[in-house]
Amino acid sequence: MTISLSSYELELIKKELKREPKEEELKVIDALWSEHCSYKSSKVFLRSLPSEGPNVVMGIEDWQDAGAVDIGDGYAIVMKVESHNHPSAIDPFNGAATGVGGIIRDIISKGARPIALLDMIRVGSLRHERNRWLLKGIISGIGFYGNSIGVPVVGGELSFDDSYTDNPLVDVACVGIVRKDKIIPSVVKKPGLKLVLAGLTGIDGLGGASFASRKLSGEDEIGAVQIADPFAGKIILDVTLEIADKVEAIKDLGGGGLAVAVTEMANGLGAIVNLDKVPLRVKGMKPEDIIISETQERMLYAVKDENVKEVCKAFEYYEYPCAVIGEIIEEPKIKFLYEGKEVVSLPSSLLLSPPIYVWDMKENGEQKTGEKPNVRIEDAIRSIVTSEDLVSKEWAYSQFDYEVGTSTVIKPGEADSSLLLLPNGKFLAIKGDANPDLCVEDSYECGKAIFAEAYRNLATVGARGAAAVDHLQFGDPKKPKVYAKFVEAIRGISEAARFFNIPIVGGKVSFYNENSKGEPIKPTPLIVMAGLSDKPFRPSIEEGLDIVLIGITRDEMRASLFTKIFGQYGKLPKARLSEDLISSEIVIQGIHEGKITYAKDISKGGLIGALWSIITKGYSVSISTDVITTAEDIYSKLFSENGGRFIVLTNDSQFFTKLAEKKGTIARVVGKVTKGSGIYIDSDYYDLSKEIDIYNNYLEARL
């Protein structure tokens, strides 16, 4: 196993300890101080994110495994997002599957029942064989774990870009539901509690946190990847929820294994752990391997002495290993013993106080832009609608069980956001959004834009955003241009979150995402937002409905799908958050008053991309570009991806034109839903039946 501690950090450790650290101790510190666990290169800037609000029950607090938000009637939702990028690049099946397992354990560690999963996947173009192998393994892994454990995968993203060829991004988000007064902390506040470990410890996942905190080397690092066992995960899920009222704290054994779980749970107090008591899958494991193993399907509980027997008895029913391995102590030291000898003895303060870094930053400068291309509208439309990002993802989500639990109202592929029925009768909308192409150009504008897009996506099913989590995925933070992009993305996200008054209750940072040539992935911050609605909504499309365009279309073409295909030119889209809010409120009101049958925000592919979602459901559309007077260029009218806009289908268009005027924006009838399989633009008709076949069969044909 490779230690990722720098020479500077090694000197800090020696100075603090006033002695040479043992090898076992270095491995413990390496796990706690890894970028994956400590956020040492990001913590300074993450503090700027708004994490508080009147409904926040548990926000971004030290060592809490997930955030929680009050949704009324005594309930709270619990949210978390994680990634398994590096493991999925080595072993896509187990990397993706254990990502699902880990995020589910984060949710149940709060005493919450998981009710929905989202997966956001980015791989290189399917022109390359290895990317096809990666995608098939990733989808199989997610389906294997989610379907087996009984948590529906209700939505996500699947997109393609060559910058992810060697370093796929596999993000998984989970939402759970819990009674507000039953939320369990991840940390303890007093000594004397017993440490109870459920599950077997093996030799898989050794050094996983360190592995995730450095560049992929191209060498065989399969031992750092954990092995998935969803059937054991189901036992952990069911028993944890059964015993939640008998424990004082719960901690998932994820990155860093026992080293991190014990230290973070102790929360500045100390702990003594007897490694001989740890149930092992493999005989003869070295003590340091027991400490840092990241074997899945394990959970650590802090339990009062009088409740230990009852906790372990619940696991004994399933013949699942459960053992008292140690105790929380007042002395602020983390101690691991093996065969009666002290293998590790380190101050809690040292482990929980890694050095904090702020790396050099360098402005990326003005991105290159060229002349407006001379492309026929017909050719542009056909290229846009057959791009990998806009083809049907049914091949992927059909492999997931998205209806288990019977609370799914809107299924994958039906709308811009998922919608679930909650126990209190309200409806939960959830969506994840990123825009790497915009982030390459301007990560500050990108940070604002992706937050606004998530908000708009929830509006398309009648929900208002209530809470968010973020995941910030970048290359090597020591590279000044990469670090500048990271910092600017946080600035944009923070500004948008404050504007919409939506707290960010958790998140993750993933650095060192690079390809084999040392080139960073496109900067990929991700927002997962949850929102609430009192009204159920099921989208539907009918012939004869008016197509109303809400919002202002601008001549802002850079960073769009059009310019990705035909060459960058023109102005960069600027996030105008007030326009996103106003247009979203119009859509929400339209849904709640029964005036909308279908709503789609305008993003990837512009107006054509939004209309394509109607055409692929078996209809034609006719539109007039003359009424889109806010943009002068025909390419902008059809393909601009500037924010603040929706199309809605309605049989009462005057409702929207009047409401928009009242709220200070624009809503205009731009066309109608008709029969057929194409699009009428002004006086021209484009038959897209061949493109529909490509849309429906692209992934299966490639894979």
Side-chain angles (χ1 to χ4, degrees), residues 365-601:
E366 190 71 21
Q367 298 292 326
K368 291 182 180 180
T369 183
E371 297 295 322
K372 181 172 72 174
N374 183 16
V375 184
R376 291 195 314 156
I377 293 299
E378 178 178 0
D379 294 337
I381 291 172
R382 297 190 192 282
S383 295
I384 291 290
V385 301
T386 55
S387 67
E388 286 183 323
D389 278 351
L390 291 189
V391 298
S392 171
K393 308 305 189 300
E394 185 176 2
W395 171 86
Y397 64 71
S398 65
Q399 298 183 51
F400 308 146
D401 189 340
Y402 44 76
E403 293 185 296
V404 62
T406 69
S407 63
T408 307
V409 177
I410 293 181
K411 303 171 187 176
E414 291 185 334
D416 278 347
S417 176
S418 306
L419 195 67
L420 298 99
L421 176 63
L422 295 173
N424 63 353
K426 293 181 180 178
F427 295 86
L428 175 74
I430 182 168
K431 181 63 166 64
D433 279 297
N435 191 339
D437 294 320
L438 179 56
C439 281
V440 167
E441 298 280 334
D442 188 325
S443 60
Y444 164 68
E445 289 294 338
C446 174
K448 291 193 293 181
I450 60 174
F451 203 95
E453 184 177 355
Y455 192 89
R456 295 197 309 270
N457 282 328
L458 300 192
T460 65
V461 296
R464 287 183 179 86
V469 292
D470 61 10
H471 194 192
L472 309 169
Q473 299 169 105
F474 292 81
D476 185 343
K478 300 183 187 70
K479 294 181 177 179
K481 289 185 178 181
V482 171
Y483 203 54
K485 289 283 189 188
F486 166 74
V487 173
E488 285 295 284
I490 290 179
R491 187 165 72 93
I493 291 169
S494 179
E495 183 176 323
R498 294 177 194 281
F499 176 86
F500 288 106
N501 197 26
I502 295 176
I504 296 176
V505 297
K508 192 69 182 173
V509 177
S510 175
F511 283 132
Y512 301 102
N513 294 290
E514 297 189 345
N515 64 22
S516 58
K517 298 177 182 177
E519 299 165 337
I521 62 165
K522 286 184 176 178
T524 313
L526 170 78
I527 294 295
V528 176
M529 190 178 292
L532 297 170
S533 174
D534 295 322
K535 183 180 178 67
F537 176 69
R538 288 299 302 268
S540 63
I541 301 172
E542 297 176 11
E543 182 187 348
L545 290 172
D546 285 336
I547 302 170
V548 176
L549 171 61
I550 300 171
I552 300 168
T553 302
R554 290 184 166 85
D555 292 304
E556 297 176 342
M557 288 296 292
R558 283 205 8 228
S560 64
L561 182 55
F562 179 91
T563 57
K564 183 177 182 179
I565 295 172
F566 298 109
Q568 294 294 341
Y569 81 95
K571 297 177 182 178
L572 188 73
K574 300 289 184 181
R576 299 165 178 87
L577 302 177
S578 59
E579 293 182 12
D580 292 292
L581 181 62
I582 290 169
S583 58
S584 295
E585 285 298 315
I586 293 171
V587 172
I588 292 168
Q589 186 174 339
I591 287 175
H592 282 245
E593 294 191 24
K595 303 295 185 180
I596 291 175
T597 66
Y598 181 81
K600 179 86 174 68
D601 99 295

